[in-house]
Amino acid sequence: MTDHEPELAAAAEIRARIDTDKPHSARFWNYFVGGKDHYEVDREIGDHIKEIFPGLVDVALTSRHFLGRAVTHLAGEQGIRQFLDIGTGLPTADNTHEVAQRVAPDARIVYVDNDPLVLAHARALLTSTPEGETAYLDANLYEPEAVLKAAAHTLDLSKPVALMILNTLGHVAEYGQARDLVSRLMSGLPSGSYLVISDSTATSEGMIAASDAYNSSGAVPYYVRGVDEIAGFFDGLDLVEPGVVQVTQWRPEAAGSVVDAYGGVGRKP
């Protein structure tokens, strides 16, 4: 066996797990933000949803910008040097580690996803500054204690961590379960840690119709929630101003558009 054969075998196993016959949320989102990692089936449902609700493209783009502003605030103004990003999605521009290490080169980032396509791209694209570190975990949101245990190989969980869960919790059908998963993750992080969440919201007929169309496509369903439910994820935390708002209104650099996506940042007391 050559030195490269184990890597080739692992790559072949990952490719075998990738289903190109059904739309896929990470590829679909990648298409909407202008990436290149998607298939015809993803573009077809994407174009169909654009006809139903063109505003979803704005949701995708502005949610990405929210990530950048939140990470910049935490790394620059709050001194956070550790980030745990769950539901990584496909790498595009200005990923969490790029934004954080631009502000603080010594920042350490752990990405978590259990999707084979994301895994294949993450290993190739998620790099790090020499001073910091970036790691990727093939792990599951539904096993929060296992995620924290694995993340501890890269992050010091005795020091504050920013937990990032963006455009991911909609995959959890039951709201109570989603709340429980977030609570269990935050319980394993120390005082001074932060929670960053953004998600699409059921705040217009267009968004609800787009969600229904996507969920009828054969893809893993994604459920949009009310603003009060998004706010509920931050119960017990101290919300950073301006609270849970449309992602375009969270510390914007310029006036933002109206979008069906809300987000916020909360600090653990």
Side-chain angles (χ1 to χ4, degrees):
M1 179 178 290
T2 68
D3 292 341
H4 297 292
E5 284 185 14
E7 294 180 7
L8 293 173
E13 180 183 353
I14 290 171
R15 285 195 298 272
R17 291 167 55 193
I18 297 173
D19 185 352
T20 61
D21 295 326
K22 296 178 181 179
H24 180 281
S25 62
R27 300 191 313 242
F28 168 80
W29 212 243
N30 182 263
Y31 176 51
F32 269 23
V33 299
K36 299 178 180 179
D37 299 311
H38 39 74
Y39 294 101
E40 183 62 29
V41 67
D42 308 300
R43 295 187 288 273
E44 287 178 357
I45 186 61
D47 290 340
H48 176 56
I49 287 179
K50 285 180 186 179
E51 293 177 0
I52 297 173
F53 182 54
L56 192 58
V57 176
D58 291 333
V59 168
L61 293 172
T62 57
S63 295
R64 196 72 186 176
H65 297 155
F66 166 76
L67 178 153
R69 296 195 305 277
V71 171
T72 298
H73 169 74
L74 292 176
E77 297 183 37
Q78 303 303 325
I80 296 297
R81 294 295 180 266
Q82 303 189 110
F83 294 81
L84 178 59
D85 188 331
I86 297 181
T88 305
L90 288 166
T92 56
D94 284 341
N95 302 289
T96 297
H97 76 285
E98 293 171 322
V99 177
Q101 292 180 344
R102 194 179 300 144
V103 177
D106 60 336
R108 304 168 77 85
I109 295 88
V110 172
Y111 291 100
V112 180
D113 211 305
N114 68 335
D115 183 274
L117 184 66
V118 175
L119 174 62
H121 285 271
R123 286 179 170 168
L125 298 179
L126 300 179
T127 56
S128 175
T129 59
E131 304 94 325
E133 185 172 352
T134 301
Y136 181 90
L137 299 180
D138 183 6
N140 196 320
L141 169 65
Y142 292 92
E143 300 173 349
E145 289 77 20
V147 167
L148 292 170
K149 182 177 180 180
H153 292 291
T154 302
L155 307 179
D156 181 352
L157 300 188
S158 69
K159 297 179 180 179
V161 174
L163 173 63
M164 317 279 298
I165 317 179
L166 280 70
N167 306 297
T168 296
L169 290 167
H171 282 305
V172 184
E174 294 296 329
Y175 178 62
Q177 183 180 24
R179 286 276 302 262
D180 178 65
L181 293 171
V182 172
S183 176
R184 287 160 64 187
L185 285 163
M186 287 302 296
S187 69
L189 302 178
S191 174
S193 292
Y194 286 84
L195 173 66
V196 182
I197 286 177
S198 71
D199 229 325
S200 302
T201 48
T203 42
S204 75
E205 292 182 1
M207 173 58 85
I208 294 169
S211 176
D212 290 343
Y214 181 80
N215 291 346
S216 299
S217 70
V220 175
Y222 201 95
Y223 303 95
V224 292
R225 296 193 161 101
V227 177
D228 58 334
E229 292 177 304
I230 303 300
F233 290 122
F234 294 94
D235 281 356
L237 305 180
D238 297 327
L239 279 170
V240 174
E241 291 293 336
V244 176
V245 295
Q246 290 181 8
V247 293
T248 50
Q249 304 305 315
W250 198 90
R251 298 177 177 248
E253 298 170 356
S257 57
V258 175
V259 294
D260 293 299
Y262 278 68
V265 177
R267 182 183 184 277
K268 184 174 179 177

